[in-house]
Amino acid sequence: MEELFDYFEQFQKLSEIEKEAIRTICSIKKVDKSSLIEEIGSTSKTIYFIKSGLVRIYYYKDGIEVTEFFALSGNLVARVQSLLTQKPSAKAIHMLEAGTVIAINATKFFKLFDTFPTIERLYRMMLEVAYLEVVERLQSIQFHSAKERYAALMNNHELIQKVPLKFIASYLGITQVSLSRIRANHSKTNPLNPQ
Amino acid sequence: MEELFDYFEQFQKLSEIEKEAIRTICSIKKVDKSSLIEEIGSTSKTIYFIKSGLVRIYYYKDGIEVTEFFALSGNLVARVQSLLTQKPSAKAIHMLEAGTVIAINATKFFKLFDTFPTIERLYRMMLEVAYLEVVERLQSIQFHSAKERYAALMNNHELIQKVPLKFIASYLGITQVSLSRIRANHSKTNPLNPQ
DNA sequence: GGAATCCTTTAACAAATGATAAATTATAGA
DNA sequence: TCTATAATTTATCATTTGTTAAAGGATTCC
């Protein structure tokens, strides 16, 4: 659990009482490679912290699988839309690598806000950062070419090395064929970059 | 000020004391058509509620003006990235139509959180909705063609009627020429729609 | 180790969008 | 109202990305 609190305390210092309140609504789970920790159609009631492993969120658009999000270990992942609206989610959370997650009961977590304003503040601050990240990504996708987006993602070495290309393509908003073409061109002009 | 509280109370009921605390950090401003209520380069310290008028946020990408956001009367507008990071903003807030805005001192507003957890909750809930809206927009831009995005925007009649097309093009992530082409095609197949 | 399956690349062509320039239409000010 | 300016459309060509199909590599599982 300590990794989770280290993560939280990047945003907001917590008292021992607050930490204990959070501990009681968490459980630790081992998850196999390729398993789904949340399935399409269910309503989300959980926020996950990735202790180890690699995760993606995906959904289907016109019958084609689309990867929306990746999370490396040391980060949170949740199907936020479903969590906030309490409607069934069109998305699934998929383990790309086996690992361990901390499952936070979101319903109970939200209830803690009434007793511990500091926990609501923590959540608020994480939400602010998440908001800024989506705005960044929106701008990247709206005003950069696929080639530029791929070049930017190349800087995230861990992701590029661990994630199959077919998942990266839809994350970048392009087809797999198009990504292959970009990579072929890219390594012509940048022979030192990974193939 | 009452419109502002009506807006807030869609999210969170406020006590008279809380409202009074908010009133003391607000001021009402009349703004001319075409004026900038916030200029590029300044650091944002204000959240605006549009009592009347029409507003956009824009910035420059590679020397080309890009419209990021429109706000109709009855909504909030802020340069959120600058507000949250307290760094100078690359964006400006531009009145497309004359009107009246309520300027909320954001620094003081954030300070109210320590005294009034309800106000922090109000802010948190507005942030949640804003987050969901950006995620929606990201998906729309990532997985719909320019034609589809234009068709969707057509349903927002007020915006389409009041906003010059040159501002709409970059909002949709396309050039003005491309928007013209889409419109020409669109009215061929939909002769009843506005030209 | 071999067969089956999955992942990635390549090729050829189609469709969408960008860039530039010019023509047309609308708007605002004198 | 007339003129200057701004906004929008149209035309042409270049570039990017999508679509489909096939081939080549890699991986998994028996």
Side-chain angles (χ1 to χ4, degrees):
Chain A
M1 293 287 303
E2 283 319 298
E3 308 93 321
L4 176 60
F5 292 126
D6 289 347
Y7 179 83
F8 281 166
E9 294 199 333
Q10 291 179 284
F11 298 94
Q12 174 66 46
K13 180 97 181 74
L14 297 172
S15 71
E16 201 42 55
I17 297 171
E18 287 151 356
K19 288 187 193 175
E20 190 49 36
I22 292 173
R23 270 189 206 98
T24 62
I25 60 168
C26 290
S27 62
I28 297 187
K29 292 183 186 175
K30 293 212 169 204
V31 278
D32 292 336
K33 177 165 180 175
S34 301
S35 63
L36 296 181
I37 55 182
E38 303 222 320
E39 293 188 16
I40 289 173
S42 66
T43 298
S44 176
K45 299 184 183 316
T46 313
I47 299 166
Y48 297 91
F49 178 79
I50 319 295
K51 264 172 76 89
S52 62
L54 176 59
V55 163
R56 72 176 180 123
I57 295 183
Y58 74 89
Y59 61 93
Y60 289 93
K61 146 90 182 161
D62 300 338
I64 309 276
E65 199 188 86
V66 170
T67 294
E68 171 178 81
F69 185 72
F70 296 108
L72 294 165
S73 63
N75 289 283
L76 293 179
V77 63
R79 299 183 297 172
V80 181
Q81 284 151 300
S82 174
L83 201 62
L84 296 181
T85 61
Q86 282 300 293
K87 291 181 188 161
S89 180
K91 298 169 184 174
I93 304 182
H94 175 202
M95 295 301 294
L96 294 177
E97 287 183 359
T100 307
V101 301
I102 300 175
I104 306 167
N105 182 318
T107 317
K108 290 181 182 165
F109 184 71
F110 294 150
K111 288 221 179 83
L112 293 181
F113 294 175
D114 294 327
T115 318
F116 303 106
T118 302
I119 296 182
E120 182 160 12
R121 174 162 300 180
L122 163 68
Y123 170 77
R124 184 260 292 178
M125 294 175 93
M126 294 191 300
L127 200 56
E128 285 179 349
V129 171
Y131 177 84
L132 295 183
E133 283 172 0
V134 186
V135 170
E136 281 291 317
R137 186 152 166 229
L138 176 64
Q139 283 184 27
S140 128
I141 218 145
Q142 189 163 15
F143 301 113
H144 292 93
S145 66
K147 194 187 294 184
E148 289 170 315
R149 280 175 269 151
Y150 174 71
L153 192 65
M154 288 287 287
N155 294 326
N156 194 334
H157 300 94
E158 195 176 351
L159 218 53
I160 282 286
Q161 279 170 16
K162 292 183 170 177
V163 176
L165 289 168
K166 62 172 179 165
F167 298 140
I168 287 178
S170 65
Y171 178 78
L172 291 175
I174 55 178
T175 61
Q176 201 184 332
V177 173
S178 192
L179 176 59
S180 245
R181 188 160 36 197
I182 286 165
R183 283 164 53 81
N185 252 281
H186 194 267
S187 44
K188 251 183 246 162
T189 49
N190 298 274
L192 296 179
N193 281 320
Q195 288 86 27
Chain B
M1 293 287 303
E2 283 319 300
E3 306 93 320
L4 176 60
F5 292 125
D6 289 348
Y7 179 83
F8 281 167
E9 295 200 333
Q10 291 180 284
F11 298 94
Q12 174 66 45
K13 180 93 182 78
L14 297 172
S15 71
E16 199 43 52
I17 296 170
E18 288 151 356
K19 288 187 194 176
E20 189 49 37
I22 292 173
R23 269 189 207 99
T24 62
I25 60 168
C26 290
S27 62
I28 297 186
K29 290 185 186 175
K30 294 215 169 203
V31 277
D32 292 337
K33 177 166 178 172
S34 300
S35 62
L36 297 181
I37 56 182
E38 303 223 320
E39 293 188 16
I40 289 173
S42 66
T43 299
S44 177
K45 300 184 183 314
T46 314
I47 299 166
Y48 297 91
F49 178 80
I50 318 294
K51 266 172 73 92
S52 63
L54 175 59
V55 163
R56 72 176 180 123
I57 295 182
Y58 74 89
Y59 61 94
Y60 289 93
K61 145 93 180 158
D62 300 337
I64 309 276
E65 197 187 87
V66 170
T67 295
E68 170 179 81
F69 185 73
F70 295 109
L72 294 165
S73 62
N75 290 283
L76 293 179
V77 63
R79 298 183 297 172
V80 180
Q81 285 151 299
S82 174
L83 201 60
L84 295 182
T85 61
Q86 284 300 295
K87 290 180 188 159
S89 179
K91 298 169 185 175
I93 304 181
H94 175 201
M95 296 300 293
L96 293 177
E97 286 183 1
T100 306
V101 301
I102 300 176
I104 306 167
N105 183 317
T107 317
K108 291 181 182 166
F109 184 71
F110 294 150
K111 289 220 180 86
L112 292 181
F113 294 175
D114 294 327
T115 319
F116 304 106
T118 304
I119 296 182
E120 182 160 14
R121 174 162 300 179
L122 162 69
Y123 171 76
R124 184 261 291 177
M125 296 176 93
M126 294 192 300
L127 200 57
E128 285 179 349
V129 171
Y131 177 84
L132 295 183
E133 284 172 359
V134 187
V135 171
E136 282 291 315
R137 187 152 165 227
L138 176 64
Q139 284 185 27
S140 130
I141 218 143
Q142 190 163 14
F143 301 112
H144 292 93
S145 66
K147 195 188 292 187
E148 289 170 314
R149 281 175 269 151
Y150 175 70
L153 193 65
M154 288 287 287
N155 294 325
N156 194 335
H157 299 95
E158 195 177 351
L159 219 54
I160 282 286
Q161 279 170 17
K162 291 184 170 175
V163 177
L165 290 168
K166 61 172 179 167
F167 297 141
I168 287 179
S170 64
Y171 179 77
L172 292 174
I174 54 177
T175 61
Q176 200 184 333
V177 173
S178 192
L179 177 57
S180 246
R181 187 160 37 195
I182 286 165
R183 283 164 53 81
N185 253 282
H186 194 266
S187 45
K188 253 184 241 162
T189 50
N190 299 272
L192 295 179
N193 281 321
Q195 290 85 26

